[in-house]
Amino acid sequence: MSHRTGRRTMRTAMLASTALLGAAFATTAFAQDASEEPTSVDEIVVVGSQIRGAKVTAALPVTVISEDDIIAAAPASGDDLFRAIPQMGDVTFNSSYLPATSNSARGDTGSVNLRSLGIGNTLVLLNGRRVVGHPTSQANEHLVPVLTYNTNAIPVSGLKRMEVLRDGAAAIYGADAVAGVVNTVLRDDMTDWTVSAQYGGAEGTGMRELNFSLYGGTDIQEGRGNVSLFFNYDHRDELKTTDQDYTASNDLRGLFAGTGFENSSGLNGTSNLSPWGRFTVRGTGTVGGRNYSAFTVVPSTTAGCLTQLADGICLRNTATLPGELNADTPAMGLTVMPEVDRFNLFVTGRYQINDAVEAFGELGGYRAKSQAYQEPIGTASGVSFIIPGSNYYNPFTNDPQITLTGYRFSDMGPISVAVTNTQFRILGGLRGEWNGWNWESALMWSEASAKDVSDNISATKLQEWSAKNTPDAYNFFNGGTLGNVRVGDGTPSNQAALDAIRVDMVRRTKTELGLWDFKISRPDIYQLPAGPVGIAAGIELRTESQLDDRDDRIDGTIRYTNLAGVVSSDLINQSENPDTYGERDVFSAYLEVAAPLVSPDMGVPLVHNLEVQVAGRFEEYSDFGSVAKPKFAAAWDVVDGFRIRGSWAQGFRAPNLEQINATLITRSNSSNDYIYCEALIRRGALSNMNQCGASAPVPTGFVDYASFNQNHVRKLTAERRSGNPDLEPEESETLSIGLVIQPRFIPAEMGDFTITADWWQVEQTGMVGLFRGQNALILDYLLRKNGSSNPNVVRADVTAADQAIFAGTGLEAAGEVLYITDAYTNQQPQTVEGLDLGVMWKLRTDRFGDFSANLNVSHLIKYYLDMSPGTQMLADGKASGEIAPSIAISGSMGDMIADFGRPEWKWSLSTTWRKDAWTVGAFTQYISDLYDDSLTNSAGDYWTVDSTITANLYTEYAFGESELGGALSNSSVRVGVRNITDEAPPLASGGYVGTVYQPYGRYWYASFRKTF
């Protein structure tokens, strides 16, 4: 039986079992009452321990985002909500990230990155159990595929609360809880019905959003059971590039006028892939008695125009396109944030079978359809397209074949990208009490899928329609728009050709998660002088899979063979990418003990209370082996109201299924082969390594160095990247020390205060990454100078020309590089250190109403990325002088604080006032400045992305039963504004930093809610 057949059988069995249990209906896995208002640290901590009824969670740093906090932040999506949490890092999966290919996640997505440790280091739970991951991967800064949980699959208007455990929790929850755990708790156990609607939009844009939700429930058999339902629908209109100046153009120099950076080349992001094409002739092309080996099509008014064609265009005898003809695609009115329709449905239920056993269940679904329009397709280096000489519009009289070296198919118009994301979850279980033990067991099956469909061009069909000698042939030589040379194509090819070459590019991805668990706990297994000892234990079986099914035209099923016999992907702008499938089974077991060592009534000086937590978890993976991790935490109350807490834990991030199972892919990058340059230096052809890969004088009597430099020294080098079944998990160690102060000396009429401060440090080792092709060549250069070589640099046999180059240099001759092998490996460590501060205040008065405030501060003290062993060898080589200073080592390393997506400071402040029927709430968020190292001035200084402070405000009025009556009875009206001062995201080299900021300013909304 195949793996997939076996998995279908397991899935069917789990679905059937879950459905049977779920038929009894259920509630969530938490016992805490929904109406409980947190007033002390012991009560607000609801995640971090599996012992029901234990108070040891006072030792752990937890942020609870209440319903009031959510309302004040006014998020329209899960992405908005997670961005409002200061401890969350950059959002690399987001709906405004729309790459030109389907190699990254597109559509209605948002990612989780607690403490900025990176995607995949935060565990997300729904009602206390794991959530299936979003199925589409995306490359991180280390060039490896990472997977996230989709925050937009969380219905924010259906949340009862969100709990963020800011501490390593692998010993409690298992893999991926390196940075901590986010538990989202949905409304449940409801006995009435509420309908609400909200409408809002961003000023100065066409983006409008509509939200409708319905939630409620009913008891059955006089409260013996309950069924609750939540339904949510969201619609968001498209946000266009032309709506705002920082997205309207790829030439941002005007926005930086007067800053000293306006002349930086990094601000002109216009593309030389333009309808004003660049071509080389296979042989020589002749027109009007003039010969061409390379040419561009330009307007007749362009300098260097040599041969006039019809309609105001001409040929220029060069392969270089003048910068003024570069394409500025955002001016076409493309998508910044796609149009989205999103649905969420969730049902929970519980039923008391008898006095000791209760059945519970969940059934949930999410579906989102997004529509975006991206820049027209441009050619890619991985697909070599040759225009047949028979092309009707070929300008040359001798009809030569012509290689397309740079061209944008702007006559196709903006490319449609439609992404459908779906996710469902079904869970059923039993729980109860037996001889003082709380026990619980559940079965769950969850799936997530994505279908990404976008326009593309079949190279095979394009060749067919390029070969036509009739006017319906595709015309590459008609240029763009004469009146607006950077935007669009005013002289498109005929519609028949455009329709014929257009194809859908489809990527289907899917993840599956099956889970069965059994857990027991007891808060009083043993009595110590200070109180009862609690214990929890459990086992879990988990099965996971991931499928990445690429389009037939790029996975090798359908290929394009050009007129020279070169085989490549059949899509004009895509390199080949094979399908990937991986699966694993995981067994885990955990044990947790919580013990009070000193209690207040013992009267121990300076030890009012002392509690400890010890936990450990073992996990066995079918693909890479076993892992065991411990945790220790303690809370010491020096006096009543002054607590010192701390924890130490080990954790791990399991390599994801794509990192282990990814099929071989080939990427071409321009690289220098430094060992050849070393030989040229020793022979006198180059004076130093600064000239490596550049034009240099060619001494007589040597081989043809001009040809040699082109074909050997600097070239497009194939890098073969692949998954690695020998990957080990990324290991981590977390240390946290904190204070919790509840000052008892403050008079009650001033309210209740809780002040927290937590220092933390996470050290990670074995982070998965690529060594990178250029580094592999540098290492090969270093080793060859010392008599060995890098086996990952695969070379051709040494030729006579090679022997001539290396003769007399003292170096062994090396053949031309064929390709570089670069599998994912465990590489460099990193250390991240920070400080979290919090202040919570509540005041209840009869005269002035109730007040509350919550300040949450996150400060990054250290974020240091060390070198991998291989990279360290290169750095040592540079330090010793064996590697020239001009040779740059690739990859991120060193101090990363404020590096684009890691602000040093983030804080938020939410406040609420209630008096009778009125509620007023405010939310303020601060993000400190960043530096943009892709943008420098003449002095070499980096551009500073300014800090921001934004504020939200809302007011709500609730109508009682007797007020006005009719439709307004038991209803409320809310009006609010986000970003009340209309702060635009601060300028950066790409216009704005989309991983940190949303691309719009002031946002108004109004909502109506009625309960019946």
Side-chain angles (χ1 to χ4, degrees):
M1 182 173 63
S2 71
H3 288 300
R4 296 197 189 192
T5 303
R7 181 164 298 276
R8 284 195 296 267
T9 303
M10 179 181 290
R11 178 180 62 185
T12 302
M14 295 188 78
L15 283 171
S17 302
T18 305
L20 288 173
L21 289 169
F25 304 116
T27 185
T28 69
F30 282 94
Q32 181 164 327
D33 193 296
S35 64
E36 182 177 335
E37 285 291 331
T39 58
S40 71
V41 172
D42 293 79
E43 292 171 323
I44 69 170
V45 177
V46 289
V47 67
S49 175
Q50 299 278 17
I51 305 173
R52 293 182 63 182
K55 294 184 178 180
V56 72
T57 49
L60 303 175
V62 174
T63 299
V64 176
I65 296 95
S66 68
E67 188 172 359
D68 283 346
D69 297 328
I70 295 171
I71 291 172
S77 66
D79 183 26
D80 288 337
L81 175 59
F82 274 70
R83 287 174 185 261
I85 301 172
Q87 286 77 22
M88 288 295 170
D90 56 353
V91 184
T92 53
F93 289 58
N94 61 79
S95 61
S96 65
Y97 178 62
L98 290 166
T101 76
S102 65
N103 290 335
S104 298
R106 302 188 289 192
D108 185 46
T109 60
S111 56
V112 184
N113 183 12
L114 185 59
R115 298 212 184 282
S116 294
L117 289 181
I119 302 299
N121 285 293
T122 307
L123 180 62
V124 175
L125 308 176
L126 176 63
N127 294 335
R129 285 184 170 87
R130 284 178 176 263
V131 175
V132 68
H134 184 65
T136 307
S137 66
Q138 188 167 298
N140 66 4
E141 60 189 313
H142 307 300
L143 305 182
V144 297
V146 292
L147 296 164
T148 186
Y149 304 94
N150 185 6
T151 58
N152 281 341
I154 299 171
V156 293
S157 54
L159 285 181
K160 181 161 58 178
R161 66 180 180 272
M162 177 178 288
E163 307 157 358
V164 182
L165 173 60
R166 301 174 277 109
D167 196 38
I172 304 293
Y173 294 103
D176 306 338
V178 174
V181 179
V182 176
N183 183 37
T184 53
V185 183
L186 298 180
R187 304 173 190 268
D188 67 341
D189 221 12
M190 294 177 281
T191 56
D192 52 18
W193 291 89
T194 299
V195 61
S196 69
Q198 178 171 302
Y199 183 77
E203 275 188 26
T205 76
M207 190 185 79
R208 300 292 181 266
E209 294 183 279
L210 171 68
N211 168 272
F212 171 82
S213 64
L214 171 68
Y215 53 88
T218 183
D219 285 343
I220 55 177
Q221 293 194 356
E222 299 180 345
R224 189 169 183 175
N226 178 274
V227 179
S228 295
L229 175 147
F230 171 83
F231 171 76
N232 189 81
Y233 166 71
D234 293 284
H235 172 81
R236 182 183 68 209
D237 292 330
E238 175 191 27
L239 180 66
K240 291 187 175 183
T241 52
T242 50
D243 285 345
Q244 290 156 132
D245 58 357
Y246 51 87
T247 59
S249 172
N250 280 333
D251 188 352
L252 301 173
R253 290 173 293 183
L255 299 180
F256 286 77
T259 66
F261 287 80
E262 58 268 26
N263 295 322
S264 172
S265 60
L267 292 176
N268 185 3
T270 57
S271 173
N272 63 6
L273 292 181
S274 155
W276 305 100
R278 294 179 285 122
F279 311 87
T280 57
V281 181
R282 295 174 61 82
T284 301
T286 303
V287 57
R290 190 182 297 275
N291 293 331
Y292 290 82
S293 59
F295 67 97
T296 53
V297 175
V298 297
S300 298
T301 55
T302 304
C305 172
L306 294 179
T307 303
Q308 293 286 341
L309 302 179
D311 302 321
I313 60 176
C314 75
L315 301 185
R316 194 165 175 258
N317 193 6
T318 176
T320 303
L321 188 71
E324 65 269 18
L325 299 183
N326 283 358
D328 191 12
T329 54
M332 299 177 70
L334 307 179
T335 298
V336 177
M337 296 179 69
E339 178 183 356
V340 172
D341 286 285
R342 182 189 305 124
F343 299 86
N344 288 93
L345 175 66
F346 209 86
V347 181
T348 66
R350 60 170 179 83
Y351 185 79
Q352 195 74 35
I353 298 174
N354 55 44
D355 291 341
V357 180
E358 182 180 68
F360 63 97
E362 302 173 1
L363 179 64
Y366 152 83
R367 179 181 174 86
K369 179 69 177 291
S370 66
Q371 177 65 60
Y373 294 93
Q374 297 182 196
E375 64 182 16
I377 292 169
T379 52
S381 59
V383 180
S384 178
F385 186 82
I386 299 175
I387 304 168
S390 59
N391 182 272
Y392 178 81
Y393 299 100
N394 188 332
F396 300 109
T397 55
N398 59 331
D399 295 336
Q401 293 179 352
I402 299 170
T403 300
L404 194 63
T405 56
Y407 184 75
R408 188 175 299 280
F409 294 82
S410 296
D411 51 3
M412 298 279 289
I415 297 305
S416 167
V417 179
V419 182
T420 303
N421 291 321
T422 60
Q423 191 168 308
F424 85 87
R425 172 185 176 105
I426 183 169
L427 179 149
L430 299 171
R431 62 184 168 213
E433 185 177 344
W434 176 77
N435 288 341
W437 289 86
N438 295 304
W439 62 270
E440 183 173 311
S441 181
L443 272 169
M444 184 194 76
W445 185 266
S446 187
E447 294 182 4
S449 63
K451 182 181 179 182
D452 186 315
V453 182
S454 57
D455 295 334
N456 215 291
I457 295 171
S458 164
T460 301
K461 293 184 177 181
L462 180 62
Q463 183 167 294
E464 175 188 346
W465 283 77
S466 299
K468 291 180 177 293
N469 58 7
T470 53
D472 58 346
Y474 186 85
N475 185 3
F476 296 91
F477 312 106
N478 52 2
T481 305
L482 287 174
N484 192 0
V485 294
R486 288 192 169 192
V487 181
D489 186 349
T491 55
S493 293
N494 72 86
Q495 194 62 44
L498 297 177
D499 293 341
I501 64 176
R502 188 190 304 264
V503 295
D504 283 341
M505 178 178 65
V506 182
R507 182 184 185 187
R508 291 181 172 89
T509 55
K510 184 177 183 179
T511 48
E512 298 173 323
L513 171 64
L515 181 148
W516 172 80
D517 61 14
F518 179 79
K519 48 191 176 183
I520 57 173
S521 70
R522 184 169 178 171
D524 56 356
I525 191 174
Y526 184 76
Q527 191 70 29
L528 291 175
V533 176
I535 190 170
I539 58 174
E540 178 182 285
L541 295 176
R542 196 166 76 242
T543 182
E544 304 170 344
S545 74
Q546 183 202 4
L547 170 67
D548 188 351
D549 183 8
R550 298 288 185 147
D551 192 280
D552 287 351
R553 298 182 185 275
I554 59 174
D555 69 4
T557 304
I558 302 173
R559 287 188 164 111
Y560 162 63
T561 303
N562 74 6
L563 296 178
V566 178
V567 178
S568 64
S569 157
D570 190 48
L571 295 181
I572 196 68
N573 71 334
Q574 299 281 317
S575 298
E576 283 200 348
N577 244 323
D579 300 337
T580 297
Y581 177 77
E583 61 183 53
R584 65 161 56 119
D585 297 317
V586 185
F587 166 77
S588 62
Y590 71 88
L591 177 67
E592 177 190 354
V593 178
L597 302 183
V598 178
S599 64
D601 56 9
M602 294 174 68
V604 178
L606 297 180
V607 186
H608 179 73
N609 193 68
L610 179 61
E611 303 169 351
V612 297
Q613 176 197 44
V614 180
R617 188 179 182 106
F618 169 83
E619 296 205 345
E620 176 74 30
Y621 285 76
S622 60
D623 48 2
F624 68 80
S626 60
V627 181
K629 296 299 176 186
K631 178 169 186 173
F632 176 80
W636 167 29
D637 289 7
V638 180
V639 295
D640 184 26
F642 186 89
R643 171 174 299 154
I644 300 173
R645 64 187 179 188
S647 68
W648 170 87
Q650 291 184 341
F652 69 101
R653 189 194 72 83
N656 65 51
L657 290 171
E658 190 164 345
Q659 291 170 357
I660 290 177
N661 298 283
T663 315
L664 182 71
I665 62 172
T666 301
R667 293 290 181 263
S668 295
N669 288 300
S670 185
S671 304
N672 290 338
D673 193 351
Y674 294 103
I675 192 61
Y676 276 99
C677 294
E678 178 69 20
L680 290 173
I681 292 172
R682 296 188 184 190
R683 295 295 300 268
L686 301 178
S687 59
N688 55 59
M689 199 59 77
N690 290 327
Q691 295 179 320
C692 185
S695 299
V698 181
T700 58
F702 281 28
V703 295
D704 182 358
Y705 283 108
S707 173
F708 175 83
N709 280 336
Q710 178 182 354
N711 295 322
H712 290 65
V713 173
R714 184 150 184 92
K715 60 175 293 184
L716 286 174
T717 304
E719 298 178 17
R720 295 187 176 182
R721 302 174 183 174
S722 66
N724 184 355
D726 296 324
L727 279 175
E728 298 291 333
E730 298 176 354
E731 307 279 355
S732 65
E733 185 172 305
T734 302
L735 181 63
S736 174
I737 301 173
L739 299 175
V740 182
I741 302 172
Q742 293 175 295
R744 307 302 188 197
F745 57 84
I746 297 179
E749 57 268 23
M750 296 184 65
D752 296 327
F753 287 85
T754 299
I755 303 166
T756 65
D758 292 282
W759 171 88
W760 55 270
Q761 182 184 77
V762 180
E763 295 182 346
Q764 290 178 279
T765 58
M767 294 174 60
V768 177
L770 288 173
F771 187 51
R772 306 193 183 209
Q774 189 67 70
N775 288 344
L777 287 170
I778 300 172
L779 180 59
D780 189 60
Y781 158 64
L782 177 63
L783 294 175
R784 285 181 177 274
K785 287 177 66 177
N786 291 279
S788 61
S789 63
N790 181 1
N792 290 324
V793 177
V794 180
R795 296 178 179 273
D797 293 337
V798 175
T799 65
D802 298 327
Q803 293 284 5
I805 289 296
F806 285 88
T809 64
L811 300 171
E812 183 178 349
E816 183 180 357
V817 175
L818 297 177
Y819 60 87
I820 297 170
T821 298
D822 199 6
Y824 306 130
T825 54
N826 295 100
Q827 295 202 4
Q828 66 251 60
Q830 72 177 12
T831 301
V832 185
E833 179 183 334
L835 180 67
D836 294 331
L837 303 171
V839 179
M840 290 163 280
W841 172 68
K842 285 194 173 184
L843 175 65
R844 291 179 172 87
T845 69
D846 294 332
R847 182 179 178 184
F848 298 107
D850 299 337
F851 301 84
S852 67
N854 192 338
L855 174 67
N856 186 4
V857 181
S858 174
H859 172 43
L860 270 181
I861 299 172
K862 179 180 182 180
Y863 199 116
Y864 197 86
L865 187 61
D866 290 295
M867 296 183 181
S868 67
T871 309
Q872 185 64 57
M873 186 184 299
L874 302 184
D876 292 342
K878 291 189 74 171
S880 67
E882 288 192 272
I883 298 176
S886 61
I887 297 178
I889 300 172
S890 301
S892 300
M893 61 194 76
D895 185 4
M896 308 297 288
I897 288 182
D899 180 18
F900 233 34
R902 301 177 182 89
E904 186 176 358
W905 289 94
K906 290 179 71 176
W907 58 258
S908 67
L909 173 65
S910 62
T911 58
T912 305
W913 168 76
R914 285 190 175 89
K915 173 65 174 171
D916 300 325
W918 289 96
T919 301
V920 177
F923 177 85
T924 303
Q925 184 176 40
Y926 171 80
I927 301 174
S928 63
D929 56 27
L930 308 169
Y931 67 86
D932 185 348
D933 54 12
S934 66
L935 185 59
T936 56
N937 61 14
S938 56
D941 300 320
Y942 295 146
W943 170 256
T944 297
V945 180
D946 288 340
S947 61
T948 59
I949 185 167
T950 57
N952 304 349
L953 183 67
Y954 79 91
T955 183
E956 179 177 300
Y957 185 83
F959 297 90
E961 287 191 24
S962 60
E963 294 181 78
L964 301 179
L968 292 180
S969 179
N970 293 322
S971 63
S972 63
V973 176
R974 183 187 305 149
V975 177
V977 56
R978 300 199 323 242
N979 190 359
I980 193 169
T981 56
D982 196 23
E983 302 294 327
L987 282 175
S989 57
Y992 72 104
V993 185
T995 59
V996 178
Y997 294 99
Q998 295 285 35
Y1000 51 84
R1002 186 159 45 224
Y1003 181 103
W1004 295 91
Y1005 65 94
S1007 66
F1008 175 80
R1009 183 174 73 250
K1010 179 176 175 59
T1011 300
F1012 53 91

